[in-house]
Amino acid sequence: MNNIYTPDIMKVEEIKQETSDIKTFKLIFDDKSKNKEFTFKAGQFCQLGVFGEGEATFCIASSPTRKGYIECSIKEVGKVTRAFHELQVGDTVGFRGPYGNWFPIDTMKKKNIIFVGGGIGLAPLRSLIWNCLDLRKDFKDILILYGARSISDLVYKDELKEWEERKDIQFVKTVDPGGEDKDWDGEIGFVPTILREIKPSPKNAIVVTCGPPIMIKFSVQALDAMGFTPERIVTTLEMRMKCGIGKCGRCNIGNLYVCKDGPVFSYDQLFTLPDEY
Amino acid sequence: MTEKVISREKIQDLLKKLGESYNVFAPVQDEGKVLFMSLENSSRDVVLEFKNALKPPKEVFFPQTDILFTFMKTTDGVRSEDAQRKKSKPNLIFAIRPCDVQALQLFDKVFSGDYQDSLYLERREDSIIISMVCSEPQETCFCTSVGGSPVTAEADIILTDLGDQIFASGLTESGEKILEDRNFKTATREFMDKKKEAHSRAEGSMKEVFNMNKISEIIGKSFEKPFWNDISRRCINCYTCTFLCPTCHCFDITDVKRKGGGERIKTWDSCMSPLFTLHASGHNPRGEEYSRWRQRLFHKFKYLPDNLGLLGCVGCGRCLDTCPTGMDIREILNIVISEDKTKE
């Protein structure tokens, strides 16, 4: 019987410094055949570990349409993430996954898609954004609203530029008041405020959001006021996890396990769950 | 069903023989406490005169620390290797109490399903469970209040202590095969009557401490109730209740670094610890004592029944027996139940 806790060995192919404390790691499987076989869906997560330091939970931030590698963006906040930040290209990590459910990309087809992201919360959205952009004709209008505390806290800066230049999507970037500098050409204001200003139509639209809890809370209120029904607002939740497969007992909200029943939830589901996340 | 008796003095001989085919875990005295230990490396005498072991024998299948795999640094990175799990013989637990057997049903469900935990399942595979009727349940026992019984178990064999003789009922094919050993004699009518008497005495001594009827539903309605704060105030976060609970199975995964490599281990963890759910960001969904107590009861009486169809409590009473501040899950459940009635 296979040991479900044994990770696949992956090598660090590339490291990109996103902000002062966030790095994106491009990873490839040591077993070359696995690179071809491996599939996942946007929204799924993995348990990544540095041997000797431990494992932690990260969303897969690259798109499933980009095959042969995965990317994870990791903020340095604790023991395991610190170990990640000390890694060099060519170093070894352990990978378990993909785990959890995914964004409802099939039901999003032929609809207007609105992405609302904040800070490092863009990481899981990025997987889905590129997934949608790589299959652009399957979707109607695409709006990406992304904000961070300050310019230096914005992640994926090169890609933001790319999205900004694309004619087939609407891209709005913002920083919290005080987070701008004199050259800043984006919006200034909190994400929910800018969202109210843009006032996207709820007609045939689905919102996918991820970011700090406070941003999500006020964005959902704004969306509600605009007439978005809860089942049209989708988010992905964070929770401390160990196993990732519904056994270790810690990531539940009510009787649902974020690792197996989530991490992707729509707001009609979340409204029925106890407020314990 | 095969029904036999074995004389008390032959038990050691039986266990010795069983030890040839099984890794036998049996209750032994350890510094005044009764614990289940492998007889392979212990010369201690097996004790049958015990109420229940301090620790449930869950660790036979779910050790307190379990090496998931080892890893070593190599010239081109790191290599991981499944830990050598020596299992020359299947495990056998002798004289496990019916409540602890019931808990294994839950473990079987948790560690199987769509992700099969090979560490647990390989230890559990071909294992033999020989249960022992509780002739004299303790004050703290409440198995009958959570759907259990002191005299029945989903085991291979169930034993009833009749003094000089131990009555043995074979409940499965593997159990009956063990009863073919010549230490066992056919049970006469006299012994059958004595066994029946012992069983009804044991059952009669059990009081229903709360009404389990609709417990999941009642608990389910109590999430927002204000009493959780009062109820949990005495808790000092020692985690004893969860570590000694036969159904508690939550675990942590951490790395141990050694020279040139190390190992990744799975260890018992506790939902009563604030660290259990603490996010790296500092946010904690269950940072407050009352929310952890509520989680523990909800997990046992609501979430597990909802998700796996089994209660996460078998009424062994260890949590209330060992709680340093005397917190009693029976009293707390009764508060939940009575508060529910108050509302109506």
Side-chain angles (χ1 to χ4, degrees):
Chain A
M1 203 184 285
N2 272 343
N3 182 344
I4 49 177
Y5 303 103
T6 309
D8 288 308
I9 301 287
M10 293 190 95
K11 287 274 164 67
V12 177
E13 175 90 343
E14 223 175 275
I15 302 172
K16 195 168 174 197
Q17 188 90 36
E18 301 284 356
T19 71
S20 63
D21 58 0
I22 299 171
K23 284 181 181 178
T24 296
F25 296 83
K26 184 176 183 181
L27 306 169
I28 53 166
F29 288 101
D30 214 23
D31 174 357
K32 296 288 174 278
S33 62
K34 185 98 195 186
N35 283 310
K36 288 200 192 91
E37 292 159 18
F38 182 76
T39 56
F40 68 98
K41 294 197 162 112
Q44 287 193 291
F45 69 91
C46 59
Q47 291 295 122
L48 274 189
V50 174
F51 293 96
E53 304 300 334
E55 278 183 331
T57 311
F58 303 101
C59 71
I60 303 178
S62 51
S63 167
T65 49
R66 314 283 170 98
K67 299 207 188 293
Y69 67 92
I70 62 159
E71 283 173 327
C72 291
S73 296
I74 299 176
K75 184 170 176 152
E76 188 182 346
V77 277
K79 183 176 176 240
V80 175
T81 54
R82 193 168 310 126
F84 268 97
H85 273 245
E86 282 164 11
L87 291 179
Q88 306 293 322
V89 169
D91 281 349
T92 303
V93 299
F95 169 94
R96 291 194 289 124
Y99 293 141
N101 68 354
W102 46 86
F103 292 115
I105 190 156
D106 290 331
T107 58
M108 288 164 59
K109 287 181 179 167
K110 297 197 177 83
K111 289 198 172 71
N112 300 320
I113 315 298
I114 300 154
F115 293 99
V116 181
I120 181 79
L122 187 59
L125 300 186
R126 175 186 183 242
S127 174
L128 183 63
I129 289 172
W130 281 118
N131 197 164
C132 293
L133 294 181
D134 287 345
L135 306 167
R136 184 65 190 88
K137 60 178 185 349
D138 290 350
F139 306 90
K140 292 253 161 87
D141 295 347
I142 293 179
L143 162 67
I144 302 169
L145 167 59
Y146 174 57
R149 262 175 312 183
S150 71
I151 298 170
S152 60
D153 288 311
L154 294 165
V155 292
Y156 312 127
K157 289 191 180 69
D158 297 341
E159 290 161 62
L160 301 185
K161 200 169 286 168
E162 228 180 293
W163 296 341
E164 208 165 5
E165 283 161 7
R166 278 180 83 127
K167 300 278 181 284
D168 60 346
I169 59 171
Q170 186 190 353
F171 174 75
V172 180
K173 61 183 182 188
T174 183
V175 291
D176 292 354
E180 77 279 12
D181 64 11
K182 61 179 171 41
D183 298 323
W184 175 244
D185 58 349
E187 303 286 332
I188 300 168
F190 297 109
V191 169
T193 316
I194 306 300
L195 181 61
R196 276 177 206 274
E197 285 171 14
I198 304 172
K199 208 170 183 294
S201 162
K203 212 180 152 200
N204 194 34
I206 285 192
V207 180
V208 188
T209 181
C210 185
I214 190 81
M215 181 212 87
I216 294 186
K217 188 181 165 192
F218 287 109
S219 298
V220 170
Q221 279 179 14
L223 291 163
D224 179 55
M226 291 171 214
F228 284 85
T229 49
E231 74 276 7
R232 302 287 199 86
I233 309 170
V234 177
T235 192
T236 170
L237 295 182
E238 259 192 316
M239 213 42 122
R240 186 179 181 131
M241 294 178 191
K242 286 292 177 170
C243 70
I245 47 181
K247 304 203 186 290
C248 78
R250 75 195 63 224
C251 71
N252 69 299
I253 306 170
N255 69 334
L256 296 186
Y257 282 82
V258 173
C259 66
K260 276 186 73 187
D261 303 301
V264 175
F265 293 93
S266 60
Y267 266 83
D268 58 329
Q269 278 178 297
L270 289 182
F271 286 146
T272 65
L273 293 178
D275 186 17
E276 209 174 63
Y277 54 91
Chain B
M1 182 167 62
T2 311
E3 299 198 302
K4 300 243 172 129
V5 286
I6 180 170
S7 120
R8 196 176 204 86
E9 65 211 19
K10 301 278 193 197
I11 290 290
Q12 287 294 355
D13 184 58
L14 170 73
L15 290 173
K16 211 172 137 200
K17 277 200 201 156
L18 288 172
E20 290 163 15
S21 323
Y22 299 97
N23 184 7
V24 178
F25 291 81
V28 297
Q29 284 278 356
D30 184 65
E31 295 178 6
K33 306 281 187 195
V34 172
L35 293 171
F36 281 86
M37 284 190 183
S38 168
L39 300 184
E40 288 200 341
N41 340 303
S42 164
S43 53
R44 279 180 252 223
D45 283 347
V46 170
V47 289
L48 293 179
E49 307 74 17
F50 69 103
K51 299 281 190 179
N52 204 352
L54 174 69
K55 279 203 274 183
K58 66 178 176 184
E59 53 189 333
V60 173
F61 307 117
F62 176 61
Q64 203 163 337
T65 299
D66 208 356
I67 298 176
L68 299 174
F69 58 86
T70 56
F71 51 84
M72 37 259 148
K73 299 239 156 75
T74 61
T75 45
D76 64 337
V78 177
R79 195 160 49 88
S80 83
E81 219 168 69
D82 252 17
Q84 287 279 318
R85 291 199 295 281
K86 183 183 85 184
K87 195 191 150 231
S88 45
K89 301 180 219 168
N91 293 311
L92 182 150
I93 307 184
F94 183 79
I96 172 175
R97 296 298 187 189
C99 53
D100 291 343
V101 179
Q102 176 59 28
L104 293 177
Q105 310 291 318
L106 179 72
F107 267 74
D108 289 347
K109 288 203 171 185
V110 169
F111 290 114
S112 58
D114 44 3
Y115 290 97
Q116 305 263 316
D117 186 322
S118 54
L119 289 93
Y120 174 86
L121 294 172
E122 280 170 14
R123 290 191 187 94
R124 187 77 166 100
E125 196 181 15
D126 302 324
S127 65
I128 296 287
I129 303 297
I130 302 181
S131 187
M132 181 80 151
V133 160
C134 299
S135 306
E136 291 171 48
Q138 309 177 83
E139 273 296 295
T140 49
C141 290
F142 59 101
C143 61
T144 52
S145 301
V146 286
S149 156
V151 301
T152 58
E154 293 273 328
D156 296 291
I157 296 171
I158 187 153
L159 306 172
T160 308
D161 193 342
L162 301 177
D164 289 343
Q165 301 287 327
I166 312 280
F167 195 94
S169 310
L171 307 175
T172 63
E173 214 173 293
S174 331
E176 299 206 329
K177 205 156 168 238
I178 289 172
L179 296 187
E180 284 167 15
D181 184 279
R182 59 181 172 77
N183 280 308
F184 289 99
K185 310 287 176 215
T186 308
T188 59
R189 162 89 18 225
E190 184 201 346
F191 288 120
M192 291 193 192
D193 289 346
K194 276 191 178 172
K195 179 203 82 168
K196 217 179 237 173
E197 244 172 74
H199 284 200
S200 49
R201 211 169 35 241
E203 286 175 307
S205 71
M206 292 298 300
K207 292 183 291 260
E208 192 179 76
V209 292
F210 53 81
N211 185 353
M212 199 188 59
N213 197 21
K214 295 186 179 169
I215 189 85
S216 292
E217 197 189 315
I218 293 169
I219 284 238
K221 287 187 284 177
S222 71
F223 196 89
E224 304 287 350
K225 293 274 174 76
F227 56 73
W228 290 108
N229 211 9
D230 283 342
I231 284 172
S232 56
R233 205 167 283 162
R234 260 153 60 199
C235 180
I236 54 166
N237 284 313
C238 74
Y239 323 144
T240 302
C241 53
T242 46
F243 291 146
L244 296 186
C245 174
T247 70
C248 278
H249 53 266
C250 292
F251 59 87
D252 197 358
I253 296 176
T254 48
D255 280 16
V256 178
K257 216 191 286 193
R258 299 196 193 283
K259 202 179 172 194
E263 55 222 28
R264 186 157 294 161
I265 56 170
K266 175 175 159 194
T267 46
W268 293 0
D269 204 351
S270 173
C271 62
M272 302 308 286
S273 160
L275 295 178
F276 192 63
T277 48
L278 180 66
H279 290 202
S281 66
H283 171 65
N284 195 343
R286 289 196 281 272
E288 291 186 73
E289 189 66 75
Y290 79 89
S291 62
R292 298 195 288 277
W293 251 90
R294 183 173 61 190
Q295 160 67 16
R296 179 164 156 251
L297 291 203
F298 266 72
H299 193 201
K300 291 183 174 307
F301 294 95
K302 172 84 178 121
Y303 306 151
L304 284 169
D306 280 357
N307 294 342
L308 299 177
L310 288 172
L311 281 178
C313 176
V314 294
C316 73
R318 285 185 181 91
C319 58
L320 55 114
D321 195 23
T322 55
C323 178
T325 66
M327 293 184 76
D328 187 333
I329 196 168
R330 301 170 300 185
E331 283 172 18
I332 290 172
L333 285 168
N334 273 323
I335 293 172
V336 177
I337 293 166
S338 65
E339 288 283 328
D340 183 67
K341 287 197 183 113
T342 323
K343 196 195 144 198
E344 289 161 14

